Amino acid sequence: VLFLAYFTLQVIYARRKYKISPPETRGHPEFERIFRAQVNCSEYFPIFVSLLWVAGIFFHQGVAAVCGLLYLYTRFKYFQGYAVAAQGRLGPLYASARLLWLLLGLAVAGLLAHFLWP
């Protein structure tokens, strides 16, 4: 949640810097990149939290926590990279996607183990 708050603050600062009042979402290219990065991170947050929760409960808390911390780090790098240039988001984007797939796999494995082999 602190990451989302930080990203939102960056949008507010960019709005002030480039004099873009809400509800406008277009303007200076740097503002648009910061705005898109914030929205993209917000869109994936419910998926991330859900997978983290299920993987932590049904697979292993420690493994899920490490994956969660790595995911947050890659999303932070994604935001930083996107704010500079659109191409800067790609490496961290792919890394965060792999971590979501890993969390999904852990969650499914944990659920299968819990319900099929009690």
Side-chain angles (χ1 to χ4, degrees):
V1 172
L2 294 176
F3 274 95
L4 292 180
Y6 170 77
F7 299 153
T8 300
L9 286 175
Q10 296 308 302
V11 172
I12 292 169
Y13 298 147
R15 281 187 182 282
R16 289 179 185 160
K17 180 178 179 179
Y18 299 108
K19 298 176 181 23
I20 301 170
S21 298
E24 290 297 319
T25 58
R26 303 208 34 92
H28 193 278
E30 185 177 344
F31 166 75
E32 290 182 15
R33 288 192 309 270
I34 291 170
F35 180 77
R36 272 313 314 156
Q38 183 265 334
V39 170
N40 290 349
C41 290
S42 297
E43 290 170 346
Y44 278 89
F45 192 71
I47 297 167
F48 162 66
V49 170
S50 300
L51 291 174
L52 181 68
W53 179 67
V54 174
I57 289 174
F58 291 100
F59 189 81
H60 190 275
Q61 290 178 1
V63 174
V66 169
C67 289
L69 289 172
L70 288 171
Y71 176 83
L72 291 174
Y73 175 75
T74 60
R75 272 299 171 170
F76 181 70
K77 297 306 280 182
Y78 167 87
F79 187 90
Q80 286 182 322
Y82 206 167
V84 173
Q87 292 298 321
R89 77 192 195 287
L90 295 178
L93 174 67
Y94 298 143
S96 65
R98 284 191 293 270
L99 286 162
L100 282 180
W101 281 107
L102 177 58
L103 281 170
L104 176 63
L106 297 176
V108 169
L111 287 168
L112 288 174
H114 179 77
F115 288 109
L116 296 180
W117 298 285

